[in-house]
Amino acid sequence: QVQLVESGGGLVQAGGSLRLSCAKSGRTFTSYAMAWFRQAPGKERDFVAHISWSGGSTYYADSVKGRFTISRDNAKNTVYLQMNSLKSEDTAVYYCAALRRDYRGYVGVDDRYDYWGQGTQVTVSS
């Protein structure tokens, strides 16, 4: 059974930074590409960033490009999301998700993902 546990959320002022972590247990970490999604109150869950199983390829939503960085440490079975220059519109619950590495379609849709964490709240005050 695969489990994903996020941490690192909190309250930060606009312009500040946070780093989210997602620790994976269960099946081999490198069997999966990983991603972050977020869901603001009253809105749908949106794609944020994706990283391939090796870490060699990343993909970002336009809204976070240049501000957020996704990375992974396969030795620690952990994926990270470094968030800089935070804005009030970044306020949301952030979820990490795992996608089998042989998937070849578009990665920005949540129903393609196999496993999800419970989410961590990020609140940016203006």
Side-chain angles (χ1 to χ4, degrees), residues 5-62:
V5 180
E6 300 99 333
S7 60
L11 174 64
V12 64
Q13 289 189 333
S17 299
L18 278 177
R19 188 175 83 154
L20 305 183
S21 300
C22 173
K24 180 185 174 296
S25 62
R27 296 182 180 177
T28 306
F29 189 52
T30 52
S31 295
Y32 297 90
M34 300 295 294
W36 290 93
F37 286 76
R38 66 186 181 186
Q39 188 168 23
K43 296 188 177 181
E44 295 184 349
R45 188 160 54 186
D46 290 332
F47 170 75
V48 175
H50 172 274
I51 188 166
S52 62
W53 69 270
S54 66
S57 175
T58 57
Y59 175 61
Y60 296 92
D62 287 343

Side-chain angles (χ1 to χ4, degrees), residues 54-103:
S54 66
S57 175
T58 57
Y59 175 61
Y60 296 92
D62 287 343
S63 59
V64 306
K65 203 172 295 183
R67 299 188 299 123
F68 291 10
T69 301
I70 189 170
S71 61
R72 65 190 292 162
D73 185 336
N74 287 341
K76 295 182 178 180
N77 291 348
T78 302
V79 62
Y80 304 97
L81 185 68
Q82 177 66 44
M83 305 185 294
N84 299 328
S85 302
L86 283 161
K87 306 174 181 179
S88 58
E89 52 262 45
D90 294 318
T91 295
V93 177
Y94 284 71
Y95 299 90
C96 71
L99 176 65
R100 64 191 185 282
R101 60 185 274 184
D102 61 353
Y103 175 76

